[in-house]
Amino acid sequence: MELSQALEQLAALQTKLYAYQCASSSLYLDSVTVAPRDTAQGRGVALGVLAGEQHKLLTDPAVGQLLDFLDQHTEELSQLQRRQVEELGRNYRQLQRIPADEYMAYAQLTNQASDVWHKAKENNDFASFQPVLERLVAFNQKFAGYYDPDKVPYDALLGEYERGVDMAYLDRFFAAVREKLVPVIHAIGKKEQPDDSFLFRHYPVEAQRKFSDYLMEVLGLDRSHCAIGETEHPFTLEFNNKDVRITTNYDPHNVASSMYSVIHEGGHAKYELNIRDDVQYTCLSGGVSMGVHESQSRLYENLIGRSLPFIQAIFPRMREFFPEQLSDVTAEQFYRAVNKAQPSLIRTEADELTYCLHIMVRYEIEKQLIGGTLAVADVPATWNRLYKEYLGVDVPDDKRGCLQDSHWSGGSFGYFPSYALGSAYGAQMLRNMEREFDVWGPVSRGDLSQVSAWLKDKVHQYGGLLTPAEVVRNACGDFDPTVYTDYLVDKYSKLYEL
Amino acid sequence: MELSQALEQLAALQTKLYAYQCASSSLYLDSVTVAPRDTAQGRGVALGVLAGEQHKLLTDPAVGQLLDFLDQHTEELSQLQRRQVEELGRNYRQLQRIPADEYMAYAQLTNQASDVWHKAKENNDFASFQPVLERLVAFNQKFAGYYDPDKVPYDALLGEYERGVDMAYLDRFFAAVREKLVPVIHAIGKKEQPDDSFLFRHYPVEAQRKFSDYLMEVLGLDRSHCAIGETEHPFTLEFNNKDVRITTNYDPHNVASSMYSVIHEGGHAKYELNIRDDVQYTCLSGGVSMGVHESQSRLYENLIGRSLPFIQAIFPRMREFFPEQLSDVTAEQFYRAVNKAQPSLIRTEADELTYCLHIMVRYEIEKQLIGGTLAVADVPATWNRLYKEYLGVDVPDDKRGCLQDSHWSGGSFGYFPSYALGSAYGAQMLRNMEREFDVWGPVSRGDLSQVSAWLKDKVHQYGGLLTPAEVVRNACGDFDPTVYTDYLVDKYSKLYEL
């Protein structure tokens, strides 16, 4: 085989994978935004075929030979090509290790599990979910060995979501979180809470839609390449760096809900839109990892979006969208309201301070579940005990307890920690920005262009060209969880006069 | 090969084709409803791959062998399987006849042509479109021979859109149309027109959206299987019989525009939603032909939707959606306004009476273009002459003349006549219904269930299980264009007191 021929095949393979991914994404996007309710069956048939074709492509022995050949010519490859061969090779070898029947059985299981979980949550019935969760855990324990035979299972799973992260890394991180944040949370419990009742006045959806348009403008999102849709659980979906979609959910009685959802998803979108052209339609397109992605969304949402300078900048315009609702409210009052910290039951509604503790509960449980030291039957009791310990709250039922998240039913174990890591990475990025230029002057005038430019330079542009660890080092330096905990302790000490 | 094995392969082939179709449809639907403006590139990459895979599947020699094998066992096949083998075989043999390089060149040409046409129309510049149109005509003359080597080219093309229809069939039809309708149109030209100014008052889009929901309810469309979206040029798209999408376009200064668009597309959707389950995910899913499809949409839009009983039935509710706009209007006045007949320039805005003449112009030109008796350069002059002759109007420019439709730029020659045929088929269906049951009593109470049931029984259920000619015979009997022309002459003679 000629090298030039092999490189053509490498490109063609990736274009085809992109096309299948693009098709599946389009069907998914449609299903959760505009599709009629009872249309899952036909979509399932199509998605099944597309997944099968994708799997066939990635397990084709000819692909293995191609990647081997290219692997023997690394010195003649560009950095881009080397990284592609590395990533595809990793993927190919993983799939080779998974027996076809197990792969199929797992795909079927996760398909069913989502339905079972939905009903179990609705009926507050953990027992009905338990046997499925047991099978999911068993599969993940086994698959972990296929993913990375050199690691203990949970480390292998963690590495799937955030290459380079393992329990040693996370234990250090969460120890800092627990040590620094739990006392602050307890101290706040004894303080008077700010009035946030005005957030829950009636905010008509039509006005909220216009406000979203304004927020996207402030974020500098190019609407000719980024649309906003409506869905139940907001998410961002990228087709490529010229076509990104964010979604939100409008609650007519909670203005902050969609507002911070748009800023959060907008942060994800900024990342995707800023990725360089030459990794598009390859396995390196898209943000490099969940953790790095969350660092961007949570940086925009919390570090910028919930800062006083940002709120002061946008509040005058915000009052134009909601003149009646906000006539008696100041920017400062708004700032205090959207930064109210209060231990609660539901992760997705948690404030910036307590959020990490919600993740910590899930991390502890996953570690023990996959490690084999916790039985699935004992998850509810452990969940409730840890919520009491970390957050000081009593969990009244499993619906608002261990059944609240969809992740496990989708087969995701090791995903949650990325959320918390992302927040910590973001804090380090912000500190580094503050050392390099005046962040808050421009932000207080609603100008985020320098923040965006810095993030594009340090993080966004690379897509998957660098590894997650390289991107983190590039933007954060050495990972130091105390930067994040110090940031939170400082912010909340001032807010609550601790 | 075992028969059972062959049948499994037949089913698998069709499921795969369905998946590719479903994926392409999803990308298309997204692109014309919610996608951001500048996102064509990445979608084009994905659609190109999907089309290539589809083509590869359909030209695979193994598929040819499979279809040959099944063809030798027809007596052991069900009617459903026989029809599948017939349709797929026809498709396979056609594609075999098209040289791969010509197929690719044509795909590229139609891709480009759409852009060229868009700009030509915008700039009223036929000359810039002319060379592309010449190539499109030449390709279609040649491809016609691949489609059906036994027919003259235009007949072969017509057969692609409506199996069994040819120039002899259409000449007879259009002769009746010309003879009966042109005098009526001329006579109306001398009469006073009804006042329709109230149609163009300000109708807020939000209220129009709610009105659409109501119309879909009246049509009996199950919203859990049928959604409505917004787009520039309304269309209906089906994924399968449990998932159909209609689209509309709201003009805040024209209430009839979206209203009749929703009823028209709703007619298409009724068809798709009523197709039997056992043809889903096969090559027989979906309505059988363009002509039969238009018979359904135009039956709902015009024969029912523009009838006095229907308007009387819905008008009280309509006034609730638009109380200010319609307070001084009666159902009868509304009926007259939406049936105003007036020769005009633009096909898509034409009324029920003059519509067929717009089609006739296109039919005459296509016949000569593909027949080789009209040069592309002479299209504008011929277009203008025929509009004067049939409709009595002067065409001021090509933008409002021969550049108005997208069809030719997409490579569609022989498609237009289906619109007119559909109207005529619909009129015959209505007459047959009137003979069998009381149509107008229930319609005047807003109850379309019997009409729907009859159409489901005679037309919808079959999908592609019967041929277009069989469906037409089933629902219309022998095709008799005078049923249609008599219906129009009668309706408009009363409206205009001729």
Side-chain angles (χ1 to χ4, degrees):
Chain A
M1 183 155 36
E2 291 285 327
L3 181 63
S4 62
Q5 225 186 326
L7 289 173
E8 265 173 42
Q9 287 179 21
L10 181 72
L13 168 69
Q14 293 178 95
T15 308
K16 211 177 261 190
L17 289 170
Y18 162 76
Y20 290 136
Q21 190 50 51
C22 193
S24 304
S25 296
S26 179
L27 287 163
Y28 172 74
L29 178 67
D30 173 73
S31 74
V32 293
T33 52
V34 299
R37 201 182 56 222
D38 297 332
T39 52
Q41 194 196 2
R43 190 177 307 111
V45 172
L47 287 170
V49 170
L50 292 167
E53 291 299 304
Q54 215 165 342
H55 184 250
K56 211 189 288 171
L57 256 184
L58 274 171
T59 52
D60 183 352
V63 166
Q65 285 159 22
L66 172 70
L67 294 170
D68 280 346
F69 174 86
L70 289 165
D71 213 26
Q72 285 151 22
H73 292 77
T74 39
E75 71 292 345
E76 296 162 69
L77 303 181
S78 68
Q79 186 197 5
L80 211 60
Q81 292 160 341
R82 263 203 305 279
R83 279 284 297 145
Q84 290 170 12
V85 171
E86 191 179 308
E87 283 302 311
L88 288 169
R90 193 172 180 281
N91 215 297
Y92 179 79
R93 287 187 298 276
Q94 276 191 352
L95 285 174
Q96 288 297 321
R97 287 192 289 261
I98 305 178
D101 59 332
E102 290 183 29
Y103 185 88
M104 297 292 285
Y106 185 59
Q108 276 188 341
L109 176 64
T110 49
N111 253 343
Q112 289 168 16
S114 164
D115 270 354
V116 176
W117 166 73
H118 263 291
K119 287 195 190 102
K121 181 177 172 181
E122 215 174 283
N123 303 325
N124 188 36
D125 176 16
F126 180 78
S128 67
F129 184 50
Q130 186 183 319
V132 177
L133 185 54
E134 279 164 355
R135 290 188 62 205
L136 287 164
V137 169
F139 261 112
N140 271 275
Q141 289 169 327
K142 198 167 190 184
F143 276 35
Y146 300 142
Y147 296 151
D148 198 332
D150 301 329
K151 289 185 181 158
V152 298
Y154 193 49
D155 277 348
L157 295 178
L158 287 168
E160 281 306 288
Y161 297 104
E162 199 70 19
R163 200 83 43 83
V165 164
D166 56 18
M167 288 185 277
Y169 189 93
L170 288 173
D171 283 342
R172 186 171 73 98
F173 170 54
F174 283 117
V177 165
R178 179 165 18 187
E179 187 199 338
K180 297 287 182 63
L181 302 190
V182 170
V184 176
I185 292 167
H186 288 167
I188 287 176
K190 293 174 198 123
K191 292 286 187 167
E192 202 188 335
Q193 288 288 6
D195 173 23
D196 63 352
S197 59
F198 54 83
L199 296 177
F200 309 103
R201 290 172 179 167
H202 181 241
Y203 291 84
V205 170
E206 223 11 88
Q208 288 199 55
R209 286 198 184 105
K210 287 184 186 130
F211 180 48
S212 293
D213 289 335
Y214 164 69
L215 288 172
M216 287 174 80
E217 196 188 311
V218 173
L219 291 172
L221 290 167
D222 178 350
R223 296 301 294 271
S224 69
H225 295 295
C226 184
I228 180 167
E230 295 173 33
T231 192
E232 197 181 339
H233 303 289
F235 62 93
T236 295
L237 185 146
E238 73 283 358
F239 289 102
N240 52 69
N241 69 347
K242 302 282 187 292
D243 189 358
V244 177
R245 318 299 175 87
I246 68 169
T247 54
T248 191
N249 182 297
Y250 295 109
D251 178 345
H253 294 287
N254 184 348
V255 73
S257 167
S258 168
M259 170 180 175
Y260 283 102
S261 165
V262 167
I263 302 176
H264 178 99
E265 304 306 335
H268 284 304
K270 291 292 287 181
Y271 189 175
E272 292 295 335
L273 291 163
N274 277 334
I275 293 173
R276 45 201 282 176
D277 287 337
D278 60 3
V279 299
Q280 298 305 312
Y281 319 137
T282 76
C283 64
L284 306 178
S285 72
V288 70
S289 72
M290 272 305 306
V292 176
H293 239 306
E294 286 295 318
S295 75
Q296 300 310 291
S297 54
R298 301 185 75 79
L299 188 150
Y300 277 100
E301 177 192 350
N302 292 326
L303 304 177
I304 304 289
R306 283 192 163 87
S307 71
L308 185 57
F310 180 79
I311 288 169
Q312 282 170 331
I314 68 163
F315 202 69
R317 280 298 302 277
M318 195 173 175
R319 281 169 77 159
E320 290 173 23
F321 292 104
F322 309 110
E324 289 166 36
Q325 296 86 342
L326 296 176
S327 62
D328 58 346
V329 180
T330 66
E332 172 100 6
Q333 286 171 318
F334 193 87
Y335 167 70
R336 289 184 177 278
V338 297
N339 282 295
K340 182 176 169 182
Q342 197 164 40
S344 63
L345 292 165
I346 308 295
R347 176 184 61 85
T348 56
E349 296 165 9
D351 55 79
E352 189 184 1
L353 178 65
T354 59
Y355 187 84
C356 267
L357 299 179
H358 289 261
I359 299 301
M360 213 161 76
V361 171
R362 287 151 180 83
Y363 170 66
E364 290 298 334
I365 290 176
E366 286 187 344
K367 197 161 74 167
Q368 294 176 45
L369 268 180
I370 303 295
T373 58
L374 175 68
V376 168
D378 297 329
V379 165
T382 308
W383 181 286
N384 300 352
R385 182 175 56 75
L386 291 173
Y387 259 80
K388 186 73 186 173
E389 189 181 325
Y390 298 160
L391 287 144
V393 296
D394 292 305
V395 177
D397 49 38
D398 294 334
K399 198 169 151 176
R400 284 170 284 183
C402 65
L403 285 173
Q404 68 181 263
D405 296 307
S406 66
H407 301 58
W408 293 341
S409 74
S412 298
F413 296 83
Y415 184 118
F416 283 119
S418 320
Y419 292 123
L421 274 180
S423 301
Y425 293 157
Q428 264 187 284
M429 292 179 201
L430 178 64
R431 191 202 47 183
N432 289 350
M433 274 188 249
E434 286 171 338
R435 285 176 179 169
E436 290 185 31
F437 62 92
D438 172 20
V439 172
W440 298 109
V443 166
S444 70
R445 296 185 297 275
D447 174 5
L448 307 189
S449 59
Q450 278 169 282
V451 171
S452 291
W454 192 92
L455 291 170
K456 178 175 181 177
D457 181 49
K458 302 283 182 186
V459 179
H460 300 172
Q461 59 161 320
Y462 299 106
L465 188 60
L466 302 183
T467 65
E470 286 168 337
V471 173
V472 170
R473 195 169 352 268
N474 208 37
C476 305
D478 286 328
F479 181 47
D480 174 4
T482 63
V483 176
Y484 174 53
T485 52
D486 285 352
Y487 154 78
L488 285 175
V489 171
D490 183 53
K491 174 171 177 173
Y492 283 90
S493 298
K494 282 183 189 141
L495 271 161
Y496 283 92
E497 298 171 353
L498 301 181
Chain B
M1 183 155 39
E2 292 284 327
L3 182 63
S4 62
Q5 226 185 326
L7 289 173
E8 265 173 41
Q9 288 179 21
L10 180 73
L13 169 69
Q14 293 178 94
T15 308
K16 211 177 261 190
L17 289 170
Y18 162 76
Y20 290 137
Q21 190 51 51
C22 193
S24 303
S25 295
S26 179
L27 287 162
Y28 172 75
L29 178 67
D30 173 72
S31 74
V32 292
T33 52
V34 300
R37 200 182 57 221
D38 297 333
T39 53
Q41 195 196 0
R43 191 178 304 113
V45 172
L47 286 171
V49 170
L50 292 168
E53 290 300 303
Q54 214 166 343
H55 185 250
K56 211 189 287 172
L57 257 184
L58 275 171
T59 52
D60 182 352
V63 166
Q65 285 160 20
L66 172 70
L67 294 170
D68 280 347
F69 173 85
L70 289 166
D71 213 26
Q72 286 151 21
H73 293 75
T74 40
E75 70 291 343
E76 296 161 70
L77 303 181
S78 67
Q79 186 198 5
L80 211 61
Q81 291 160 341
R82 263 203 304 278
R83 280 284 297 145
Q84 291 169 13
V85 171
E86 193 180 306
E87 284 301 312
L88 288 169
R90 193 173 180 280
N91 215 297
Y92 180 79
R93 287 187 298 277
Q94 276 191 353
L95 285 174
Q96 288 298 320
R97 287 192 289 261
I98 305 177
D101 59 332
E102 289 184 28
Y103 185 88
M104 298 291 287
Y106 185 59
Q108 276 189 341
L109 176 63
T110 49
N111 253 344
Q112 289 169 14
S114 164
D115 270 353
V116 176
W117 166 73
H118 263 291
K119 287 196 191 101
K121 181 177 173 182
E122 215 174 283
N123 303 326
N124 189 35
D125 176 16
F126 181 79
S128 67
F129 184 50
Q130 185 182 320
V132 177
L133 185 54
E134 279 164 356
R135 290 187 62 204
L136 286 164
V137 168
F139 260 113
N140 271 274
Q141 290 168 326
K142 199 168 190 185
F143 275 36
Y146 301 141
Y147 295 151
D148 197 334
D150 300 329
K151 290 185 181 159
V152 299
Y154 193 49
D155 277 348
L157 296 178
L158 288 167
E160 282 305 289
Y161 296 105
E162 199 70 20
R163 200 84 42 82
V165 164
D166 57 17
M167 288 186 277
Y169 189 93
L170 288 173
D171 283 343
R172 186 170 73 98
F173 170 54
F174 282 118
V177 165
R178 178 164 22 186
E179 187 199 338
K180 298 286 182 63
L181 302 189
V182 171
V184 176
I185 292 167
H186 288 169
I188 288 177
K190 292 172 198 124
K191 292 286 188 167
E192 203 188 334
Q193 288 287 6
D195 173 24
D196 64 351
S197 59
F198 54 83
L199 297 177
F200 309 104
R201 289 171 180 168
H202 181 241
Y203 291 84
V205 170
E206 223 11 88
Q208 288 199 56
R209 286 198 185 106
K210 287 184 185 130
F211 181 48
S212 293
D213 289 335
Y214 165 69
L215 289 171
M216 288 175 80
E217 195 188 310
V218 173
L219 291 171
L221 290 167
D222 178 351
R223 296 301 293 272
S224 68
H225 295 295
C226 184
I228 180 167
E230 294 173 35
T231 191
E232 197 180 340
H233 304 290
F235 63 92
T236 296
L237 185 147
E238 75 283 356
F239 289 103
N240 53 67
N241 68 348
K242 302 282 186 292
D243 189 359
V244 177
R245 318 299 175 87
I246 69 170
T247 54
T248 192
N249 183 298
Y250 295 108
D251 178 345
H253 294 286
N254 184 348
V255 73
S257 168
S258 168
M259 170 180 175
Y260 283 103
S261 166
V262 167
I263 302 177
H264 178 100
E265 303 305 336
H268 284 305
K270 291 291 288 181
Y271 189 176
E272 293 294 336
L273 291 163
N274 276 334
I275 294 173
R276 45 200 283 175
D277 287 336
D278 60 2
V279 299
Q280 297 306 313
Y281 319 136
T282 76
C283 65
L284 305 178
S285 73
V288 71
S289 73
M290 272 305 306
V292 176
H293 239 306
E294 285 296 316
S295 75
Q296 300 310 291
S297 54
R298 301 185 76 78
L299 189 151
Y300 277 99
E301 177 192 350
N302 292 326
L303 303 177
I304 305 290
R306 283 193 164 87
S307 70
L308 185 56
F310 180 80
I311 288 169
Q312 282 169 330
I314 67 162
F315 202 69
R317 281 297 302 278
M318 195 173 175
R319 280 169 77 159
E320 290 173 22
F321 293 105
F322 308 111
E324 288 166 36
Q325 296 86 342
L326 295 176
S327 62
D328 58 347
V329 181
T330 65
E332 172 99 4
Q333 286 172 318
F334 193 86
Y335 167 70
R336 289 183 178 280
V338 296
N339 283 295
K340 182 174 168 182
Q342 198 163 39
S344 63
L345 292 165
I346 308 296
R347 176 184 62 83
T348 56
E349 296 166 9
D351 55 78
E352 189 183 1
L353 178 65
T354 59
Y355 187 83
C356 267
L357 299 178
H358 290 261
I359 298 301
M360 214 161 75
V361 171
R362 288 151 179 83
Y363 171 66
E364 291 298 334
I365 289 176
E366 286 187 344
K367 197 161 75 167
Q368 294 176 45
L369 268 180
I370 302 295
T373 58
L374 175 67
V376 167
D378 296 330
V379 165
T382 308
W383 181 285
N384 300 352
R385 182 175 57 73
L386 291 173
Y387 259 80
K388 186 73 186 173
E389 190 180 324
Y390 299 159
L391 287 145
V393 295
D394 292 305
V395 178
D397 49 38
D398 295 334
K399 197 169 149 176
R400 283 170 286 183
C402 65
L403 285 174
Q404 68 182 262
D405 296 308
S406 66
H407 301 58
W408 293 341
S409 73
S412 298
F413 296 83
Y415 184 118
F416 283 118
S418 321
Y419 291 124
L421 274 181
S423 301
Y425 293 157
Q428 264 187 283
M429 291 179 202
L430 178 63
R431 192 202 47 181
N432 289 351
M433 275 188 249
E434 287 172 337
R435 285 177 180 169
E436 289 185 33
F437 62 91
D438 172 21
V439 172
W440 299 109
V443 167
S444 69
R445 296 185 297 274
D447 174 5
L448 306 190
S449 60
Q450 278 168 282
V451 171
S452 290
W454 192 92
L455 292 170
K456 178 176 182 178
D457 180 51
K458 302 283 182 184
V459 179
H460 300 172
Q461 60 162 318
Y462 299 106
L465 187 60
L466 303 182
T467 65
E470 285 168 337
V471 172
V472 170
R473 195 170 352 267
N474 207 37
C476 304
D478 286 328
F479 180 47
D480 176 4
T482 63
V483 176
Y484 174 54
T485 52
D486 285 352
Y487 154 80
L488 285 175
V489 171
D490 182 54
K491 174 171 178 174
Y492 283 90
S493 297
K494 282 183 189 142
L495 271 162
Y496 282 92
E497 298 172 353
L498 300 181

